[in-house]
Amino acid sequence: MTGTAPVPFTADDYEDRMDRAARQAADAGLAGLLVAPGPDLVWLTGYAPPAVTERLTLLVLAAGREPVLVVPTLEAPDAEKATGAPALALRDWTDGKDPYALTAALLDGRGRFGVSDNAWAQHLLGLQQALPGTSYVSLTEALPMLRAVKDAAELERLAAAGAAADAAFEEIRNVRFSGRPESEVAADLAALLHRFGHSQVDFTIVASGPNGANPHHEAGDRRIGRGDMVVLDFGGLKDGYGSDTSRTVHVGEPTEEERRVHDLVREAQEAGFRAVRPGAACQDVDRAARAVIADAGYGEYFVHRTGHGIGVTTHEPPYMIEGEERPLVPGMCFSVEPGVYLPGRFGVRIEDIVTVTEDGGRRLNGTERGMVIVD
């Protein structure tokens, strides 16, 4: 089961994204944007180089100017096939030539530029040497909301990724947990994500018993036993957009305390979700979820932010954390995932992806949030 293929993005979609990015850069006081291979380049142009390479590939965006993609000559044929290619100019360079001189000719020699976070230091230093009057700032710092507000087609893909992750959970809850290593259950989860249409699995956390108190535990050789609480946190990319969901299951009947803590986290997650509405600050979501846990006396055991944005990567701005006063806008998508982690004992986390609507929020995950008993 992989579902219906999404409507493809068009050259016009990518042209609009590049134009918006260039205008936002100008509004932020930047001379332009320099985008290296990675999620930003794919989102802006539809182009992903065929392999990681030391050869310079760079998209140059500036308001009022045609976008230019600098590429090695041997990769130009692939770049020309990208969906967004009709909306930009290609400038290729051959081995033995200076790609920094070629790129420098496209830039304001005294400008300040936003640079995608994953640009190689080698390339940035090469540009600085060619244009010593330029300066640079990371794209996440300069334009953190560049990809944050999703259009209808993007929301459709995120919803499909969420539904695929839900289908994986509905299957995994029926497998045997007791007596098996965490790593085996994690492998089952990864296979299910692929089965339900994911092209990439980013993480499959299976944290049993005391390992559940580590929010980012890597599934290992510990054998899951009866009486264990098990945190499941898994996701990846489907049709280029992310999934990320967490559910906490129990092997056999839970104790009264385990059930109480699970109910508490579920209540906190519901409070965080109900705080989602246009105009609310990102920190309001964190505050709402955190207050429930703190009021119950477990505040010191909620050790991470309440949520993170999701899109063409599984973690991106905005972040639901104290101090983030940026307002929520319809089309933003992020996780709401409070947790309680009791060292040496167990942990509980419940997570949904939520999108901001015109009058509140909508969950993109719909599986059972109450206690699920597994064998």
Side-chain angles (χ1 to χ4, degrees):
M1 170 188 153
T2 57
T4 305
V7 176
F9 296 123
T10 67
D12 288 343
D13 292 326
Y14 291 115
E15 182 176 18
D16 179 65
R17 291 176 186 179
M18 286 188 280
D19 181 62
R20 282 191 286 125
R23 284 188 281 108
Q24 288 182 31
D27 291 344
L30 299 175
L33 302 179
L34 307 177
V35 184
D40 290 315
L41 184 62
V42 174
W43 184 78
L44 286 163
T45 68
Y47 176 56
V52 176
T53 174
E54 74 282 0
R55 295 181 174 92
L56 178 71
T57 296
L58 202 66
L59 174 68
V60 179
L61 296 177
R65 299 180 62 181
E66 182 180 28
V68 178
L69 182 62
V70 177
V71 295
T73 299
L74 76 169
E75 293 174 5
D78 291 308
E80 289 170 350
K81 296 175 185 175
T83 305
L88 51 78
L90 287 178
R91 297 286 185 272
D92 65 306
W93 60 278
T94 58
D95 287 350
K97 301 295 184 181
D98 184 354
Y100 306 115
L102 170 64
T103 306
L106 304 171
L107 306 181
D108 175 353
R110 305 200 64 80
R112 181 170 174 80
F113 294 89
V115 182
S116 54
D117 295 6
N118 54 336
W120 285 24
Q122 170 188 343
H123 299 321
L124 193 56
L125 292 169
L127 284 174
Q128 285 182 314
Q129 185 173 6
L131 292 173
T134 55
S135 60
Y136 305 90
V137 61
S138 77
L139 202 52
T140 292
E141 180 181 345
L143 298 177
M145 296 296 104
L146 178 62
R147 304 193 320 249
V149 178
K150 275 63 178 180
D151 62 26
E154 292 182 293
L155 289 173
E156 181 181 338
R157 293 187 185 215
L158 283 162
D166 283 356
F169 177 72
E170 294 295 354
E171 291 281 339
I172 203 70
R173 63 183 288 181
N174 294 316
V175 308
R176 182 172 59 85
F177 280 68
S178 180
R180 300 178 66 203
E182 295 170 338
S183 57
E184 282 189 9
V185 178
D188 288 346
L189 265 175
L192 286 167
L193 287 171
H194 283 301
R195 174 181 156 192
F196 290 115
H198 280 63
S199 60
Q200 177 178 312
V201 175
D202 289 341
F203 48 89
T204 51
I205 293 173
V206 178
S208 63
N211 289 340
N214 176 0
H216 282 173
H217 171 71
E218 291 191 13
D221 295 333
R222 183 184 186 277
R223 289 192 177 271
I224 302 168
R226 294 199 68 78
D228 278 348
M229 197 84 90
V230 185
V231 179
L232 305 174
D233 183 351
F234 51 97
L237 298 182
K238 180 181 186 296
D239 295 317
Y241 281 75
S243 70
D244 185 0
T245 188
S246 300
R247 294 292 185 263
T248 303
V249 302
H250 198 277
V251 185
E253 285 299 317
T255 65
E256 180 179 340
E257 182 191 19
E258 288 171 332
R259 191 174 289 279
R260 184 174 68 250
V261 172
H262 192 282
D263 287 346
L264 174 65
V265 174
R266 179 177 58 173
E267 181 184 349
Q269 207 267 349
E270 178 68 18
F273 169 68
R274 292 192 178 280
V276 175
R277 63 185 183 279
C282 292
Q283 68 181 4
D284 292 342
V285 179
D286 183 83
R287 287 175 174 178
R290 197 169 300 276
V292 173
I293 292 173
D295 288 349
Y298 288 87
E300 66 182 291
Y301 303 112
F302 181 8
V303 296
H304 55 74
R305 64 197 175 204
T306 293
H308 59 81
I310 189 169
V312 292
T313 57
T314 50
H315 283 210
E316 62 185 45
Y319 297 103
M320 306 302 112
I321 189 170
E322 181 66 31
E324 179 51 85
E325 298 179 349
R326 186 171 283 106
L328 300 180
V329 176
M332 284 183 174
C333 293
F334 48 83
S335 65
V336 178
E337 51 176 307
V340 168
Y341 309 93
L342 303 179
R345 301 182 62 204
F346 64 88
V348 178
R349 182 164 63 257
I350 300 172
E351 173 186 15
D352 294 326
I353 299 302
V354 173
T355 183
V356 184
T357 64
E358 294 297 329
D359 58 1
R362 175 169 67 95
R363 298 182 193 268
L364 300 187
N365 296 104
T367 55
E368 174 62 49
R369 282 175 287 277
M371 178 73 79
V372 170
I373 307 300
V374 298
D375 292 328

